[in-house]
Amino acid sequence: MKKTLLLLVLLGYCVATFGQTVFTTVIPPLKDERWWGGVVVLGHQMPFGRQLAMQDLSRNNRNNQLVPFMLSSAGRYIWSEYPFRFEIKDGNLIVCSENEKLEPVSAGTTLKEAQLAASKKYFPPSGQIPEEKFFSLPQYNTWIELMYNQNQEDIMNYARRVLENDFPQGVFMIDDNWQKYYGNFDFKPEKFPNPKLMTDELHKMGFKVMLWIAPYVSADSPEYRILEKKGYLLKRKGTNQPAIIHWWNGFSACYDTTNPEAMEYLKQQLRTNQEKYGIDGFKFDGADISYMTPGEYDFYDKEATPNVFMEKWAELGLSFPYNELRACWKLGGQALVQRLGDKDYSWNATQMLIPDMLAAGLLGYYYTCPDMIGGGQYSAFLDVKEFDEELIVRSCQIHALMPMMQFSVAPWRILSKENAAICARYAHLHNEMSGYILELAKHASETGEPIIRPMEYEFPHQGFVECKDQYMLGDKYLIAPMVTSGVQRTVKLPKGKWKDDRGQVFRGPKVIDVDVPLDRLPYYEKIK
């Protein structure tokens, strides 16, 4: 009787809240079953507990990627081609869809079996990976240092400081406000007197060069008038007028990404930019469904939704091997570089990096970068009188053995000489480990198996389901960074023999106390 009443209450909740009939599935947990999925940025809450507020995959991407996919530690998964809503009440997973009745599929008894089965069927790996340099060399993004004052002089100074402080060359990303205005792809002449010379010099120094772009178009610009005439802009519903999107940097018109002709036109504009300035690729920002109101637009594709709009923007990145996305719908297994959304400069945000990255991998985003070292939320760096050097160094160490690492705030500016040298050392460690990381990336492109994996994925049902501060790099290395302030932590070793970064051998299963001075990143190699 109680279960019947609960079901009726839950069904009523979905209908009453959204005002229309929906397909609702209430999924009671199996013994010790826990769920992951849906929203990458909620990775630090995964596996979800007994209560989770309603998440709507059609309304808010939370500054990151969304996937209509959930998977459990008991080997079950849920997939839909359409956005759905989900919540957890008293341990029951409740899934509401306006398109279909969703039921869990059993693929086995483990998290790994669920992930591999769903990947094979619904987001199969493409056999391709992004450019190899992403996995071997750091990325340097100018956002935190320059914010909206992108300019040639300071960009070149940043690049010179990279080399002077013994950091490896890498992929250099020039962020927002390099261009004249949105929708234009020429450099501001007052800020960049000779942009081609700048990129030539950066190339000679050993860097690849990428530019920030977004689908937005400044209204009343020459580009706006051209695109409006061609019919390439997203339209306001029921009119033939371009829609105006209120996004984080103002009000703009927007390319209709569901129009293939418009996307081909944009692609050619970007190719022209590459030829003119020697640019290697682009950071594809924006297109978040969070800035769009469902039902207010006429898309070129009459069946499209804001989710499809976001997906089509991300697909554009596939035409450029040097790419980066932050917002995405589906497209797991594709050769796209994803990045976690901008996080605060805080220990709390630092603790989110590992579980959020693990969630990205489980949902098919194998080639992901964990935000910017120290945080990518620029407002958190304003008016800071004294930086927490320990936090920056630990953040760098967390990045070092991830698929990719990205600097933005300059370590040599805010850290002591000794601590900046520690960061440089771990940037070089990433390069030293890049052969294995690249091997894992190619393996992911063939099998759908993530590069970094939750402990529960590799060692199911051995007490690791809640483990969020250590992870497996492939099946060979257990990585256990410091994610809180301090110089000591515990590490839980699974069965087998493990050799740590200092050469000491341990036999698991075993919980050990580890000394972690600021210059140490503990990791353990599995010995056969």
Side-chain angles (χ1 to χ4, degrees):
M1 182 63 179
K2 288 184 178 179
K3 289 184 177 179
T4 302
L5 287 174
L6 174 62
L7 179 58
L8 290 174
V9 169
L10 294 173
L11 288 172
Y13 177 82
C14 286
V15 174
T17 300
F18 299 99
Q20 65 185 78
T21 303
V22 297
F23 298 93
T24 300
T25 307
V26 180
I27 306 168
L30 301 177
K31 184 176 177 0
D32 298 326
E33 182 177 33
R34 303 290 294 278
W35 288 90
W36 285 254
V39 186
V40 166
V41 77
L42 294 183
H44 57 280
Q45 297 185 37
M46 300 176 200
F48 299 121
R50 288 182 55 78
Q51 311 294 335
L52 178 71
M54 179 73 78
Q55 306 298 319
D56 189 341
L57 301 185
S58 70
R59 296 296 180 97
N60 189 355
N61 64 300
R62 293 174 175 265
N63 200 40
N64 244 162
Q65 303 84 4
L66 298 175
V67 187
F69 170 48
M70 302 194 72
L71 69 168
S72 88
S73 58
R76 297 199 290 177
Y77 72 85
I78 297 166
W79 173 270
S80 177
E81 293 298 330
Y82 310 98
F84 55 79
R85 300 184 292 276
F86 68 95
E87 65 176 327
I88 298 177
K89 283 195 171 185
D90 299 324
N92 295 284
L93 175 63
I94 303 136
V95 183
C96 304
S97 172
E98 297 174 5
N99 297 282
E100 59 188 330
K101 179 73 171 175
L102 295 172
E103 297 287 356
V105 176
S106 179
T109 61
T110 68
L111 182 66
K112 180 175 183 176
E113 288 171 312
Q115 191 272 335
L116 290 177
S119 169
K120 182 177 181 180
K121 187 169 184 179
Y122 295 110
F123 47 100
S126 67
Q128 304 295 319
I129 66 171
E131 278 289 338
E132 293 187 4
K133 284 186 183 294
F134 281 114
F135 302 99
S136 60
L137 297 171
Q139 301 158 30
Y140 299 94
N141 186 296
T142 60
W143 177 237
I144 297 298
E145 288 298 307
L146 303 183
M147 289 186 258
Y148 289 109
N149 184 31
Q150 304 293 317
N151 66 89
Q152 184 169 339
E153 181 179 0
D154 287 336
I155 285 169
M156 292 307 303
N157 285 336
Y158 189 123
R160 293 186 189 103
R161 298 292 94 77
V162 169
L163 303 185
E164 289 171 4
N165 287 278
D166 195 33
F167 283 75
Q169 301 98 322
V171 180
F172 206 92
M173 296 182 180
I174 299 173
D175 217 284
D176 185 13
N177 214 31
W178 60 270
Q179 70 281 52
K180 291 181 179 179
Y181 41 80
Y182 298 116
N184 175 273
F185 302 107
D186 283 315
F187 285 85
K188 289 180 176 179
E190 67 274 22
K191 296 283 188 178
F192 295 87
N194 195 333
K196 182 60 167 63
L197 176 63
M198 176 187 71
T199 56
D200 285 347
E201 289 181 353
L202 289 170
H203 285 146
K204 289 177 183 177
M205 295 165 70
F207 294 99
K208 294 294 183 179
V209 184
M210 296 174 62
L211 296 177
W212 179 99
I213 64 167
Y216 308 115
V217 179
S218 296
D220 200 30
S221 64
E223 284 77 5
Y224 172 92
R225 290 187 283 275
I226 291 170
L227 295 171
E228 181 185 24
K229 185 175 181 179
K230 290 179 177 291
Y232 290 168
L233 296 175
L234 183 65
K235 292 183 172 60
R236 197 168 69 246
K237 192 169 186 65
T239 74
N240 199 35
Q241 301 300 312
I244 299 297
I245 306 294
H246 184 193
W247 56 297
W248 69 82
N249 204 32
F251 295 82
S252 303
C254 186
Y255 270 92
D256 185 343
T257 65
T258 75
N259 183 339
E261 192 174 295
M263 288 296 92
E264 185 58 35
Y265 177 85
L266 175 55
K267 192 186 302 183
Q268 292 309 312
Q269 302 306 302
L270 298 179
R271 297 286 190 213
T272 298
N273 170 282
Q274 288 184 300
E275 293 170 6
K276 186 174 182 179
Y277 299 115
I279 300 302
D280 298 293
F282 301 95
K283 170 181 174 177
F284 295 84
D285 208 355
D288 303 69
I289 62 172
S290 305
Y291 297 108
M292 306 183 76
T293 305
E296 289 199 0
Y297 313 103
D298 282 334
F299 296 98
Y300 175 86
D301 177 353
K302 304 306 179 186
E303 302 299 318
T305 63
N307 292 72
V308 173
F309 169 87
M310 188 164 68
E311 179 182 13
K312 293 300 180 182
W313 173 246
E315 281 184 356
L316 182 61
L318 292 171
S319 298
F320 301 88
Y322 283 95
N323 64 67
E324 184 194 82
L325 278 298
R326 173 193 51 74
C328 193
W329 170 246
K330 300 196 287 192
L331 296 178
Q334 298 299 308
L336 294 170
V337 172
Q338 303 283 349
R339 181 174 62 82
L340 296 185
D342 298 345
K343 296 192 182 299
D344 291 334
Y345 157 67
S346 70
W347 283 107
N348 183 57
T350 300
Q351 292 173 49
M352 296 178 183
L353 293 176
I354 292 174
D356 285 6
M357 283 290 292
L358 294 174
L362 289 174
L363 297 180
Y365 301 123
Y366 314 126
Y367 322 116
T368 299
C369 180
D371 191 27
M372 302 169 185
I373 289 167
Q377 187 61 260
Y378 79 91
S379 59
F381 288 91
L382 298 176
D383 301 320
V384 177
K385 294 180 180 179
E386 185 175 350
F387 285 94
D388 185 340
E389 298 199 18
E390 180 189 8
L391 188 156
I392 301 296
V393 172
R394 295 304 195 192
S395 177
C396 178
Q397 291 168 344
I398 293 170
H399 278 241
L401 294 179
M402 290 288 185
M404 303 176 189
M405 65 188 307
Q406 184 174 128
F407 292 95
S408 190
V409 66
W412 49 87
R413 178 176 68 83
I414 65 170
L415 300 181
S416 67
K417 184 176 181 180
E418 294 75 19
N419 288 339
I422 294 174
C423 289
R425 170 186 160 193
Y426 281 101
H428 284 285
L429 175 65
H430 181 80
N431 180 250
E432 292 164 13
M433 293 287 283
S434 64
Y436 181 63
I437 294 173
L438 184 59
E439 178 185 317
L440 292 174
K442 292 177 178 177
H443 178 76
S445 76
E446 296 165 356
T447 66
E449 195 160 22
I451 296 173
I452 66 167
R453 307 162 190 175
M455 299 299 296
E456 179 68 20
Y457 185 99
E458 281 295 317
F459 305 98
H461 312 310
Q462 296 178 38
F464 288 106
V465 73
E466 288 280 6
C467 185
K468 300 180 183 183
D469 64 353
Q470 60 185 63
Y471 64 93
M472 292 298 296
L473 177 60
D475 60 5
K476 186 177 180 180
Y477 291 100
L478 187 160
I479 316 298
M482 286 295 298
V483 298
T484 60
S485 179
V487 292
Q488 191 170 46
R489 62 159 293 165
T490 60
V491 175
K492 185 175 181 179
L493 296 174
K495 294 178 182 178
K497 291 177 65 177
W498 300 86
K499 183 172 71 171
D500 74 5
D501 52 295
R502 292 173 169 176
Q504 187 173 355
V505 176
F506 300 86
R507 184 176 294 276
K510 187 175 185 178
V511 176
I512 57 176
D513 292 322
V514 181
D515 291 324
V516 192
L518 190 57
D519 64 350
R520 185 185 183 195
L521 165 60
Y523 59 92
Y524 300 80
E525 181 179 0
K526 190 175 183 180
I527 302 173
K528 295 182 178 179

